[in-house]
Amino acid sequence: MVGLLLTENGVMLPPQASSVAPAVDSLFKFIFWISAFFFLLIVGLMLAFVIRFRKRPGHQKAAHPPTHNTLLELTWSGIPLILVMIMGVWGFKVFLDINTPPANAYEVQVTGQKWKWLFTYPNGYVDEVLHVPVDQPVRLVMTSEDVIHSFFVPAFRIKRDVVPGRYTKLWFRATKTGKFQVFCAEYCGTSHSDMLTFVEVHEPGGFERWLEAASNLLNTLPPAEAGRRLYQSRGCSQCHSVDGSGGIGPTFQKLFGHEVVLKGGARTTADENYIRESILEPMAKIVAGFEPVMPTYKGRLKDQEITALVAYIKSLSGEAQPEGGQQGGNHGSTGR
Ligand code: CUA
């Protein structure tokens, strides 16, 4: 049983990838092994006494059973008192370390919403993956668009609720490069368990290069390709498929230029203006068979980004694309 609990980190713990992880693990292991020791001691003694002092024929109750033993009682009160005080003081120290970001921390805004995470960098660029530099403190300022979520990075040993109407904060300094899983740790509805992303920790210099390239995608890529990246990075892909499969929202495959049946039976054609309106005012026209659950992107997507998304959706329309293939074959997109 003990062998099952032991991994390279001690007791079934994920890898340590942040500056606070070793301290959290040491405290956790201290509490875990003390609890395990006393569990075995107390349950073991209890079982031994139950067997040894069970009622048997011919055994009488003692005439004057012992009532108390001051030395024994002081011992079994004093030792636990000392142990919980160690846990309390040690825990408070680790708690302060986790909650006190260094003054020079790099700040990223985190938004939780059903059911994705969005990360806004200081230059305004938004991504669905949290990119950070290694060995630099990063501070997260987090809020929610709808219900309570919880931002949890097991490898960093950090977790905090993300609450609508207020800001919560977290900080960490990643000590290893690579990708680390992010979970939502607060049940927030149907797709709570799919509210996954990851932290990508870049080697020195790699983060700046990544941010530079990612922020300029609208100027360096053809609109349809930039739209495809936005589709993935801005959350469209959580609800809208591009291969015709079902989802929370209508698929984008063969949408552009086709007739759409709306709730109530009205019909309209999916053109540039329809798509733009659906992005900015999702409640204006609800497609039959779908729930009105899409959040507005007003103020969150620039005109140029909407144009790129329209170009991408256009590129998925099938027959409306006689030549040119997937990339950049749609020079007729609006506003360009
Ligand atoms: Cu968001 Cu669970």
Side-chain angles (χ1 to χ4, degrees), residues 115 149 184 186-188 192 195:
W115 286 278
H149 304 275
C184 177
E186 179 75 45
Y187 181 66
C188 54
H192 156 71
M195 195 168 162

Side-chain angles (χ1 to χ4, degrees), residues 59-78:
H59 286 244
Q60 295 300 310
K61 211 173 161 188
H64 301 287
T67 52
H68 73 98
N69 182 321
T70 308
L71 181 67
L72 196 59
E73 286 164 22
L74 281 176
T75 311
W76 79 42
S77 303

Side-chain angles (χ1 to χ4, degrees), residues 112-117 146-150 183-189 191-193 195:
Q113 68 177 73
K114 295 191 279 188
W115 286 278
K116 62 177 185 272
W117 297 105
D146 36 50
V147 298
I148 302 179
H149 304 275
S150 180
F183 291 108
C184 177
E186 179 75 45
Y187 181 66
C188 54
S191 299
H192 156 71
S193 55
M195 195 168 162

Side-chain angles (χ1 to χ4, degrees), residues 6-86:
L6 292 174
T7 63
E8 51 168 330
N9 267 327
V11 268
M12 293 204 293
L13 293 170
Q16 297 177 337
S18 80
S19 57
V20 298
V24 173
D25 286 5
S26 301
L27 178 61
F28 175 80
K29 285 177 208 165
F30 177 76
I31 295 173
F32 177 85
W33 289 117
I34 284 195
S35 306
F37 172 79
F38 280 105
F39 175 80
L40 293 176
L41 179 74
I42 291 166
V43 174
L45 281 177
M46 191 179 79
L47 289 175
F49 290 165
V50 162
I51 292 162
R52 187 171 150 97
F53 300 113
R54 70 189 186 277
K55 189 172 178 182
R56 278 171 292 183
H59 286 244
Q60 295 300 310
K61 211 173 161 188
H64 301 287
T67 52
H68 73 98
N69 182 321
T70 308
L71 181 67
L72 196 59
E73 286 164 22
L74 281 176
T75 311
W76 79 42
S77 303
I79 292 176
L81 179 69
I82 293 166
L83 288 174
V84 294
M85 282 174 70
I86 293 174

